[in-house]
Amino acid sequence: MFEISDEGVAAALASGASYADARVVIRREQAVSGRNGAIEGLRETESAGVGVRALVGSSWGFFATEDLTAVGARMVGRQAVAIALASSTVPGRPLELAAVPAVVDTYETPHMEDPFEVSLTEKADLAIDLTAAMMSGADVTKAVAAFMFWDTEKWFVSSQGSRIHQHIVESGGGMSAVAVKGGESQVRSYPQSYGQFETGGYEVVRDLAFAEHTGQLADEAAALLRADQCPAGEVDLILDGSQLSLQIHESVGHAIELDRILGWEAAFAGTSFLPLEQLGSFRYGSPLMNITADATIPGALGTYGYDDEGTPAQNVTIVDQGVWKGVLSGRDSAAIAGVEPGGMVRGDGYARMPMVRMTNVGLLPGESSFDEMVADTKDGIYMATNRSWSIDDQRLNFQFGTEIGWEIKNGKLGRMLRNPTYTGITPTFWGSLDRLAGPDEWVHWGTPNCGKGQPMQTGHTGHSASPGRFRNVRVGVTG
């Protein structure tokens, strides 16, 4: 397939591009879902094509086709340049690309069991058995389980000499039990809401041991129907790792995207509250807040060998002891900001222009533990598993809801609480972080449904987190 990419790049250069790259992408996707002891859905798709990106002056052009022939690739290269030329009729200053060495390499996700070689019967039986088991619980009226798998191959060529083949394998799934009674509806999910996804083969699903958790989900969903409402007030808040991972995604991950900071995504995704001129000095959170964007973590969902500009995957410091130090960048945005390119540009398939996306934006673990945090909390609430979220387009003011909570009094978990919520302002909230669980409770949570761009692109991201405690947080907000 390298020859197809070569044709696209050559055609773009011959048409006047100062730089061009091309990606042939072949992606398979499989989804199996069950509901209430029966199969609900089965979807298998495969897409294949080539996309060319061309730079003319200050403007990018992008075009793609499913025609994987030399003729099709050359047409795509010429069209990408035509679009760049049309865009350059409203010129800006010439766009520079931060330097990246040309690379000839191959990368493959380490995996043990090809998920597409595991029979549909086995996957369907698992979805049926899990949902049937959860339906046996009192008051459970709906049980769902879903599993998804991706197999992606890319052949990347750039006009600067890079030739990179990658084979990315991703797997995962999740399940939920919904209990309904007297006009009240409650849900419990495992491993987190919307499931857990990683780079790897079917061993990811086997290791999650879904069958061991059906009873707990059914029992907790039913118990939540009779639990007390989360009280309103200001208390110490302990978040489980999965909820903290979404907190990172929304209030850190999107805020540090350099294209948002520069205003390139303002029309749809929004901007960022972070002022670029304060990179290196802005106080983001407490000294316990250490955030990295690490695309090299084995097994994490945002792990790969190279991004879609041919920049190597790397570990970038984002927040160091509470001070903002880094951004998510591409070669063009990095050149403008004067930072090193972070290898964080990816496209959703062959037909979408690559853009800045989160890799594995995670919070490094601390030295405490969940049990120690509870024991050290006099008046607080423990919340687990996301149920809802809302945050403004600058990623500053937010409100989250979780599926379940427990009151903490004098160092002990007490009554279960339903409909728990909390709210805050990003730097103030992160500034209240005072304890973090250690490496033993650190999980690389995966998010396979991050939306961004026009037209919408879906990105796969990772967020490592362990449970953490935040002081004096406003909880129980309903309006």
Side-chain angles (χ1 to χ4, degrees), residues 117-443:
E117 293 298 319
V118 176
S119 71
L120 285 173
T121 300
E122 180 175 340
K123 296 164 184 168
D125 286 346
L126 179 60
I128 291 170
D129 292 346
L130 293 174
T131 55
M134 289 186 284
M135 284 298 292
S136 65
D139 300 321
V140 174
T141 59
K142 185 176 80 171
V144 295
F147 304 95
M148 295 189 70
F149 309 94
W150 296 268
D151 184 295
T152 306
E153 287 198 83
K154 305 178 185 180
W155 290 263
F156 172 86
V157 169
S158 79
S159 59
Q160 295 177 334
S162 286
R163 299 172 71 83
I164 301 167
H165 173 241
Q166 295 194 85
H167 180 205
I168 308 295
V169 180
E170 301 159 302
S171 303
M175 62 180 184
S176 298
V178 178
V180 178
K181 193 171 187 178
E184 182 74 21
S185 173
Q186 294 293 335
V187 60
R188 287 294 290 134
S189 303
Y190 174 83
Q192 62 170 334
S193 53
Y194 319 111
Q196 166 67 350
F197 297 85
E198 303 174 14
T199 49
Y202 198 75
E203 66 274 10
V204 172
V205 172
R206 298 193 193 282
D207 291 346
L208 289 170
F210 286 92
E212 298 177 12
H213 299 272
T214 55
Q216 178 187 353
L217 293 191
D219 291 346
E220 289 183 347
L224 280 166
L225 295 174
R226 294 175 285 277
D228 293 331
Q229 179 76 16
C230 176
E234 194 169 282
V235 299
D236 293 342
L237 174 65
I238 297 177
L239 297 178
D240 81 317
S242 71
Q243 174 57 32
L244 193 45
S245 75
L246 187 64
Q247 181 75 50
I248 295 166
H249 180 99
E250 301 294 351
S251 67
V252 180
H254 280 304
I256 59 172
E257 291 168 336
L258 188 50
D259 52 354
R260 294 178 66 121
I261 294 172
L262 294 173
W264 297 356
E265 285 297 308
F268 182 66
T271 58
S272 171
F273 72 94
L274 291 168
L276 186 58
E277 62 273 16
Q278 293 186 35
L279 179 63
S281 61
F282 182 82
R283 172 58 67 179
Y284 212 122
S286 79
L288 274 181
M289 185 185 188
N290 293 289
I291 299 276
T292 60
D294 187 353
T296 69
I297 298 174
L301 190 61
T303 293
Y304 45 82
Y306 298 86
D307 76 349
D308 288 343
E309 293 188 310
T311 305
Q314 53 199 277
N315 182 0
V316 176
T317 297
I318 301 297
V319 178
D320 182 21
Q321 298 184 58
V323 178
W324 180 37
K325 295 288 189 178
V327 294
L328 304 179
S329 65
R331 295 183 63 188
D332 50 6
S333 57
I336 291 174
V339 300
E340 294 294 320
M344 296 135 172
V345 168
R346 290 183 288 165
D348 182 11
Y350 74 89
R352 293 289 181 264
M353 183 162 172
M355 61 193 304
V356 172
R357 302 309 305 254
M358 294 180 221
T359 59
N360 300 305
V361 180
L363 178 64
L364 299 183
E367 298 179 346
S368 186
S369 70
F370 173 74
D371 290 340
E372 289 175 352
M373 284 188 278
V374 171
D376 185 49
T377 300
K378 183 177 180 181
D379 182 18
I381 294 177
Y382 167 53
M383 298 187 189
T385 318
N386 181 261
R387 189 173 182 180
S388 65
W389 71 92
S390 175
I391 189 166
D392 67 51
D393 62 0
Q394 286 196 315
R395 304 284 148 175
L396 189 60
N397 298 282
F398 62 81
Q399 178 174 318
F400 288 93
T402 65
E403 292 183 356
I404 195 167
W406 284 268
E407 191 175 55
I408 303 172
K409 290 292 184 185
N410 300 316
K412 294 183 179 179
L413 288 177
R415 58 177 175 155
M416 181 182 290
L417 301 173
R418 62 183 166 93
N419 305 326
T421 60
Y422 67 96
T423 187
I425 298 173
T426 296
T428 304
F429 178 79
W430 283 105
S432 71
L433 173 66
D434 80 330
R435 296 196 77 161
L436 265 177
D440 291 345
E441 299 175 68
W442 200 49
V443 175

Side-chain angles (χ1 to χ4, degrees), residues 219 470 472:
D219 291 346
F470 299 81
N472 302 318

